[in-house]
Amino acid sequence: MSKRNRMASRSLWHPAFWPSWGIVFVLYLLSLLPMACKRSLAARLGRLLHRKLKSRARAVSANLAACFPELTPDEREQLAEDAFVSCSLGIFESLHCWWRDTESLQHKTEVVGLEHLQEAIAQNRGVLLIGAHYSILDLALPLIACQLTKPGYMYRPNNNPVIDRMIERGRRRHFGIQPFNKRQLKDMMGFLREGGQVWYGCDQDFGGKTELFVPFFGVDTGCITTPTYIARESGAAVICVSHLRTPDGNYRVEFSEIQESFGLDPEQDARIWNGFIEQAIRRFPDQYLWLHKRFKTRPAGAASIYR
């Protein structure tokens, strides 16, 4: 039996999970801090993690070197530190999302392109919202879901059932949002056919599931064709969405126009979402999840980006 299956078969109160419950309790206490305090702690934590997580810092530096060759080494180093700070803030924002009220943040959020979303919903079909892993992480769900009539999202379960319970209970507090894990693609398709709107992040490296390579910041990047399949088979309208912090400390959600041709050509579809994500990142380059090895899977014969 695999470690994951052993963990799943145990009661959540099994002694093996007591340390995990301790972590949940500490995170709950941190969620009670004022947002200003969370931001201050995130800045300190991010700078510390940038110094201490050497392997992950090298991955960030490699990503930035591939995507921003025009920057000087010092500029990329500063951007790498900023990315760690941004991701650390995303952790605290997620804690706020899981246990605190987000209504005031929703009201302060700038929403761009809402008319495109409303047009898609008015067509009485589902909406596939293709997103990306920006650093505000789980706070994106209520900021987006408050604009939807029947919200849902695709997610990967955490291997630790106690941590997974914490995350998923926190996410599902808002707007009756419907979760779908990677094994529930058929259910998600049915939800879309019934007029649901689903956030789906397809911007990570899927290893052996990679099906094609398209440019992202000028780098041939591994992508999957699942979004094309979902759009074609469900008949859902496709809209790209970004969710980012603004310099004034608030948030911005942007919906693209409906991608009318989406679902016909997997390579063109991947170019569409990669292009939208790249444009968003260039506005706020520290807010992408650069800690992920986005370019781990390479085309045949291409040199590795990570040393």
Side-chain angles (χ1 to χ4, degrees):
M1 182 183 293
S2 69
K3 180 179 179 181
R4 180 174 181 175
N5 288 338
R6 287 199 305 272
M7 295 178 72
S9 66
R10 292 170 174 166
S11 163
L12 289 177
W13 296 106
H14 189 282
F17 293 132
W18 290 355
S20 299
W21 283 112
I23 292 172
V24 171
F25 181 64
V26 170
L27 294 178
Y28 168 72
L29 293 179
L30 289 173
S31 77
L32 302 179
L33 294 172
M35 186 59 80
C37 187
K38 290 185 176 83
R39 292 190 177 105
S40 178
L41 286 175
R44 297 180 185 182
L45 177 63
R47 289 192 288 268
L48 175 65
L49 294 177
H50 178 241
R51 294 195 303 271
K52 296 298 184 180
L53 299 182
K54 301 294 186 182
S55 175
R56 194 55 57 180
R58 286 194 295 271
V60 173
S61 296
N63 284 334
L64 296 178
C67 295
F68 298 99
E70 70 277 10
L71 298 182
T72 67
D74 287 344
E75 288 172 333
R76 285 199 295 268
E77 185 67 14
Q78 182 60 58
L79 181 53
E81 182 180 276
D82 293 344
F84 271 90
V85 170
S86 188
C87 284
S88 297
L89 179 54
I91 294 171
F92 284 96
E93 290 167 330
S94 294
L95 299 182
H96 193 93
C97 167
W98 297 339
W99 283 295
R100 301 289 300 277
D101 181 30
T102 63
E103 186 174 357
S104 64
L105 300 179
Q106 295 163 27
H107 290 318
K108 294 178 182 178
T109 297
E110 175 189 9
V111 181
V112 178
L114 182 59
E115 67 276 13
H116 305 311
L117 174 65
Q118 292 172 337
E119 178 188 353
I121 292 174
Q123 294 175 359
N124 293 319
R125 55 176 175 154
V127 183
L128 180 64
L129 296 165
I130 296 188
H133 291 80
Y134 304 106
S135 65
I136 71 170
L137 303 175
D138 281 12
L139 182 57
L141 288 175
L143 297 187
I144 295 173
C146 68
Q147 308 295 338
L148 308 179
T149 59
K150 191 177 180 181
Y153 66 99
M154 175 69 76
Y155 76 103
R156 178 192 180 280
N158 191 283
N159 291 337
N160 183 316
V162 173
I163 302 301
D164 188 65
R165 177 183 182 274
M166 172 190 69
I167 294 172
E168 293 308 316
R169 281 171 64 93
R171 288 171 173 171
R172 299 171 196 180
R173 292 173 59 230
H174 307 282
F175 304 101
I177 191 167
Q178 178 69 41
F180 300 96
N181 65 40
K182 62 182 181 180
R183 297 182 180 86
Q184 295 175 312
L185 183 61
K186 183 178 180 180
D187 295 332
M188 190 192 79
M189 302 270 283
F191 184 78
L192 286 170
R193 292 189 186 102
E194 294 169 359
Q197 303 100 34
V198 177
W199 179 93
Y200 180 52
C202 51
D203 62 312
Q204 295 194 310
D205 187 285
F206 288 86
K209 296 182 180 179
T210 297
E211 297 168 283
L212 72 163
F213 293 87
V214 300
F216 179 60
F217 282 91
V219 180
D220 285 339
T221 304
C223 297
I224 56 175
T225 63
T226 306
T228 300
Y229 171 78
I230 294 172
R232 184 180 67 244
E233 298 301 317
S234 71
V238 175
I239 288 178
C240 299
V241 59
S242 63
H243 30 86
L244 301 157
R245 302 182 199 94
T246 54
D248 60 2
N250 292 316
Y251 301 91
R252 171 189 170 104
V253 171
E254 180 174 351
F255 299 101
S256 76
E257 296 180 352
I258 299 173
Q259 304 301 314
E260 299 290 358
S261 64
F262 204 101
L264 301 177
D265 182 341
E267 181 174 341
Q268 181 58 32
D269 293 347
R271 289 179 182 273
I272 288 171
W273 86 65
N274 271 352
F276 182 87
I277 296 168
E278 181 175 334
Q279 289 177 8
I281 294 170
R282 288 192 181 278
R283 289 197 295 270
F284 300 101
D286 62 307
Q287 293 188 44
Y288 189 58
L289 195 63
W290 295 114
L291 280 71
H292 173 68
K293 292 184 177 181
R294 183 65 185 93
F295 309 111
K296 187 173 182 179
T297 303
R298 303 289 289 136
S304 174
I305 286 177
Y306 307 104
R307 305 297 181 185

